[in-house]
């Protein structure tokens, strides 16, 4: 469970990016959830970032934080 670090700002940034990407995939463009979909689109940069890109960015941030932390400790 070394990847789950709720005290890390990088972990929260990665989680938010992942959740934004997942929400933009799951929410419909029309219907009662359209307003929430627009909010997610604003968080994603108004459609500039693809959902897959946001998900991979989030996973990368979480993995990078772990790797940097292990590098400072000397673990491999």
């Amino acid at each position: 469970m070394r990847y789950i670090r709720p005290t890390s700002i990088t972990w929260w940034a990665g989680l938010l990016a992942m959740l934004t990407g997942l929400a933009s995939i799951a929410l419909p463009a029309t219907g009662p959830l359209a307003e929430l979909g627009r909010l997610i689109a604003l968080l994603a940069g108004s459609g500039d970032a693809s959902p897959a890109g946001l998900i991979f960015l989030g996973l990368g941030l979480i993995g990078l934080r772990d790797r940097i932390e292990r590098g400072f400790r000397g673990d491999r």
Side-chain angles (χ1 to χ4, degrees):
M1 298 300 287
R2 69 178 194 218
Y3 288 105
I4 299 174
R5 304 277 185 202
T7 58
S8 169
I9 293 173
T10 309
W11 185 82
W12 282 108
L15 184 68
L16 181 62
M18 277 186 356
L19 292 176
T20 303
L22 290 171
S24 56
I25 288 174
L27 292 176
T30 60
L33 296 175
E35 291 299 318
L36 189 55
R38 286 189 197 109
L39 174 64
I40 297 300
L42 286 173
L43 289 174
S46 297
D48 292 337
S50 70
L54 287 169
I55 293 169
F56 285 121
L57 172 71
L59 290 173
L61 284 173
I62 291 171
L64 181 65
R65 187 222 39 89
D66 180 64
R67 180 61 189 140
I68 289 172
E69 183 179 298
R70 286 187 295 146
F72 285 134
R73 286 191 317 221
D75 297 344
R76 293 210 180 243

